[in-house]
Every structure is written in C-alpha cells, then in structure tokens.
Amino acid sequence: MCGIIGFVGKDEQAAPILLDGLERMEYRGYDSAGIAVRSEAKGLQVRKAKGRLKVLSDLTQGGAELEGVLGIGHTRWATHGEPNDVNAHPHISENGQIALVHNGIIENYLELKEQLLKRGVKFTSDTDSEVVAQLLEFHYNECHNMLEAVGRCLRRIEGSYAFGIICSDYPNALIAARKDSPLILGYGESGNYIASDVTAIIKYTREVSYMDDGEIAVITSNSVDVFDDELTPVDKKRSVVDWDVSAAEKGGYAHFMFKEILEQPEAVRRTVSPRIKDGRVVLDDLDLTADYARGISRIYMIACGSAYHVAVVSKYNWERLLRRPVEVALASEFRYSDPLVDEHTLVIVISQSGETLDTMAAMREAKRRGGRTLAIVNVVGSSIAREADDVLYTWAGPEIAVATTKAYTTQLVLMDLVGLYLADLLDSVEQAEYKAILEEIQLLPEKMDQLLEQVGDVQYFASRYFNHTSIFFIGRNLDYAIGLEGSLKLKEISYIHSEAYASGELKHGTISLIEPGTLVVALGTYAPLFDKAMSNVVEVKARGAEVLSITTESFRERMEKTADASVVVPDSHPVVQPSLGVIPLQLFAYYVALQKGCDIDKPRNLAKSVTVE
Ligand code: AGP
C-alpha cells in the first residue's frame, strides 16, 4: 500500500520532514519513493528513486539539497507500471507546474489517457496516477483555479484515491482529496500536514482530522479548509491521537514484529479490561439489544488474511456459545457471491488497518443488502471503522510489522468477549461456563507473559528446522484454525511454502506428501479432541515425518512420548486456548525468517494494508 505525506510550513524546510514521514511509513511496503518541493527560486523540484528510502535520502542529502516550505512525498507499492524511477511518484504535469502523489487505483485511467493523448499530451510513465496529473493541468489551464480544477478532475475519474497536490502557482497551498484510500489532515505548530496514516506525522502533531470520501482540502501553513464534492465548505472534527511516538518505534528491538509479539499481554489487557465490569462483559459502544439478538437469523464473519483466520476461530467459539449458525467468508469471495444477507443478518467485519479494500467493499455489499455491520478494527478513525453501523476497537496500539501478531490476538479476545455478550443476550450459555471463560480471558495476559519466557525453546527449534522447504501445520477444530495462522505467518515472512490441514482430513489425500523428514507442526492444544490429534501425529510419524508439537501442560507427557519436539503452553478454557496456542507459531515463523535473513518487518511483495483489489 502506498504512503503519502505532505507539509506546508511557515519557514521550516519541507524536504527533511517529508523524508522522515516516509521513513515512518516504510512498514506499509513499497518499491520506490519520491518527493517534490516548491521554492520561489527553483519552482517545483522533484526527486524520485527506485528501491529503499535510503537511496532517495542519499540523492537529496537527507533533504538538504531541496529548498522550500511546501512539499509532498510518496512511497509507492506498484499496481500499474513496474517499479522504477519514472513510475515512482510524484508525477508531474507536462508543463511542469503540477506535482501529484496518489494512493489507490484509477479504474478508468486508460480511457482518460486516450482522451489526453488525442489532445497531444505527452506521458512519461506507465502509471494510472500520471493521468490525473495531466488531467489536472488540462482543467487548470481551462479555469485557472486549482480548487475548481481539482473538483472537475475528480468528477471525471473513477476508482480509489488519496491525492496530495502542489502547483508552482500556489506558493503556500497544499491540496488533498480522498475517496476509499485513507488521508489524514495534521494541524501543527510550524505548519500543517497530510498523511496516509498517523505514524508519519505523530512526531510533529497529535491533532488530526480524518478526510471523508469526496472531500477536498486546501491546506496552508496557518489554515486548513475542507470542501465536499460540490466545493461546499465542510467543518471537520479534530481528534487527538493518544498513543505515544515510542509505540510506533522499534524501541531497541531488532524488528517491530518481535516487539509486537512481546506486546501482546499488554495489548490484550488494554483490549479486555475496559470491557469487563463486576464479572460481566460490558460493551458500552455497542447497542445490540436482546430483541435484536433473538431476531438474528444468520451471522457472517468477513475478513482477509489473518483477520479471516480470527473469523475461523470465532466461528467455532460463537456456534458453541450462541447455538446459532455462523458463516465465515473471505471478503474477496463474499462480495461476488450474491450473499444471503438481509435485515436479520449480523455481519462481523474484522480488520486491523480498517482500510483493506476487499473487506471495505464486502462490508458495503452487506450493508446494501440490509445487514447490520459490526466492525472489529485496530486503527481508530479508519474507513471501515467509520462506515460500519457499530465498531469495537482492539486497543493493540499501532501495529507496524506487516505480519500481524498483537492485532490478531486482540481480535481473537475481543471476538470472545462479543460472543459471550451475545450469548448472554440470548441466554444460550450456562452462567458457570460464562464465568469460567471470562476468568480465563482475564488471566490471558499473565499466561501470555509466562509463555513468552519460552522464547528460547522456539528459537532453538527454528534453528533446527529453518532449512525445510515445505512444512505442514495440522490440527483439529480450534487447533486447525490456529494452524491456518501459523502457516500464513511462516509463508509471509520466511517465504517457505507451508500448508495448514485439518488433521482428520490428511488421510483423504494429502498424507501422500508426507515422507521421511517432512516437518509437521502438530497442534494439540484443543483438549476435547486431543486423543484424535494424537492419532494423527502417530499417522504422520509412521510415514517418517519429523513432528514439532504445540500442546498444553495437561498433555505435555503424552505428547512428548511421540513428538520429536514440543512447545508447551499454559492450559486455558478451550474457547480462550487459541490466544495462547498461536504465540509459539508466531515466534516460530519469526525465528525461521531470522535464520534465513529475511526482511521480517517488510516482506517482499506484501503491504501492511492492501487498499487495492
Ligand atoms: C497478516 O499477517 C497479513 N499482514 C495479512 O494477511 C492481513 O491480515 C490482511 O491483509 C488483512 O489486513 P487487515 O486486518 O488490515 O484488514
């Protein structure tokens, strides 16, 4: 996903601020970067470079080589046009007057490009974004007013966008516009900002506004004016970001991912404690009534990637607690499946970033069909959070590593709380069970701390197994569900192929792939089916597999008799056990990737939030 930053200051130079902001957004994933700065003497100065941000920083002597108090910057995650210097943003209009950065996709760029080519416009790149820069110039030459030109331009383009725009005729104005791709306005002492996310500017200001779809902002060093798509002024609410800068920094750890794995106990504590009062789950920001709950005919859980794996765990748990059918769906499949949604359907949408386009589009489709949408989101004020009927935040704090860990476990535990809350409304769970689960949820941070003391064991196993080229994760029920997450974690950051399998299903085909030396990570933490899980471990051992097991204290002895190696997690209630069982899998992926020298926080081809479909 691309990253955008813009600054317009009173007298502070823009270039160093732009580079610093881009560096704080590196975690979003990118393949090239660029900045444009306007100065009286030199007009628009543009520098772009393929590769890591350091290349751009060296090219501009850390920004010192560019003068001016107005500028825009961009990290590009290629969609149209290969990663190279020419396709990098900012894109410049033909006469060199307008510079633009873009996050999103212009669906009708070819049609617009054709029209502009017919008018003799010359293009330099293969990107959809450059078309907007040229179209802007066309309309600006028509009306000689940048705000009007932007309005005309937006009415002609289709697709998703967050734009940062500067024009050499406007020495003190930065223009921004957004539709579907997030864009934040920042109000600072020495000037004002735009950014794709708060991490880019929190060092300079905590006071922000979140742009809404169709809005255009004109930002100067001492004013921020926002307009709707008819250019009618809009009053924007300001929010104060309450997490501190260090939360978005590595704090001495080698990788954000490792830091965030270790932050899980605190993240779970922050997510849970405000929602349990006098032994009951209280979800103040949720106004679901018992009548509404009783009227629910179907529950959908929709998400992508790891968030989808949270849904798979929650399906098992909610059906157990609510005795109602729960369907899980990949967002990219749901939206095109003509889903059975009506006013009696509760649609849970899970997303760390709150900006995943597939998930956003699926939520909109569910709303269009009359469903009631509840979003489980980590980023406050994100698009999904603001469009859902209800939103519950996981208070995990900013998650910088592309591979999610603390957001995943806080989503798990928040879904457990919501499941208990609904079960209580439906009177579908015994009070003793309710109490037992809630107690275990409250003990999670302490048990996670205890578990994280075993980091060394997992590191040892990773050093034994990191050379494998194909690894299986097997388990039953909730163990299968966390196996999905363990497999994705490993693939994402170590680039080793792996597959999660319901272990009872192995014998129906895939077991043919098990041969002497095949590494199988066997999950044995789901107590009700431990015996079954054990028989599947014996099955793969009989075919020569090497078995690394994840099990609980209760089953340690039995598992260690058969598995070649074991990581043991504290016992918990079956509903809550996945939040513990997944942690060794996160650590295993981390240490294998570390052994392989992979770029753990910024894995190849991946972005922290995929805002394209
Ligand atoms: C997980 O480690 C990946 N980064 C990816 O699968 C992610 O979970 C998925 O893209 C969904 O992102 P979201 O939670 O921000 O919507």
Side-chain angles (χ1 to χ4, degrees), residues 134-153:
Q134 304 298 2
L135 189 64
L136 255 181
E137 180 175 278
F138 170 77
H139 285 298
Y140 181 57
N141 290 340
E142 263 180 345
C143 63
H144 305 293
N145 174 304
M146 203 49 180
L147 179 59
E148 173 58 31
V150 171
R152 292 184 187 185
C153 189

Side-chain angles (χ1 to χ4, degrees), residues 246-247 249-264 452 455 590-591 594 601:
S246 62
E249 289 171 347
K250 264 192 275 197
Y253 291 100
H255 300 97
F256 278 110
M257 183 178 178
F258 190 66
K259 174 178 176 249
E260 289 156 6
I261 288 173
L262 299 182
E263 284 177 342
Q264 292 182 106
L452 285 167
V455 159
Y590 174 77
Y591 282 118
L594 194 63
D601 285 336

Side-chain angles (χ1 to χ4, degrees), residues 91-134:
H91 286 291
I92 311 302
S93 61
E94 193 180 5
N95 69 7
Q97 272 187 307
I98 296 169
L100 168 139
V101 291
H102 170 223
N103 179 22
I105 286 189
I106 306 302
E107 309 281 358
N108 62 334
Y109 83 99
L110 285 174
E111 173 199 330
L112 294 170
K113 187 166 184 172
E114 272 310 302
Q115 292 166 16
L116 291 164
L117 285 167
K118 283 197 183 107
R119 290 177 178 276
V121 174
K122 290 187 183 37
F123 285 81
T124 55
S125 80
D126 306 323
T127 68
D128 55 334
S129 309
E130 185 195 354
V131 172
V132 182
Q134 304 298 2

Side-chain angles (χ1 to χ4, degrees), residues 198-256:
V198 173
T199 45
I201 57 173
I202 190 169
K203 175 180 168 187
Y204 307 103
T205 180
R206 294 170 184 283
E207 206 177 349
V208 300
S209 299
Y210 299 93
M211 289 187 74
D212 286 304
D213 281 355
E215 287 180 346
I216 302 169
V218 178
I219 301 111
T220 69
S221 55
N222 50 24
S223 67
V224 177
D225 297 306
V226 182
F227 306 88
D228 66 16
D229 48 10
E230 259 111 52
L231 303 188
T232 311
V234 170
D235 245 349
K236 289 305 282 182
K237 184 166 82 66
R238 293 190 184 189
S239 318
V240 177
V241 179
D242 62 358
W243 40 265
D244 59 29
V245 178
S246 62
E249 289 171 347
K250 264 192 275 197
Y253 291 100
H255 300 97
F256 278 110

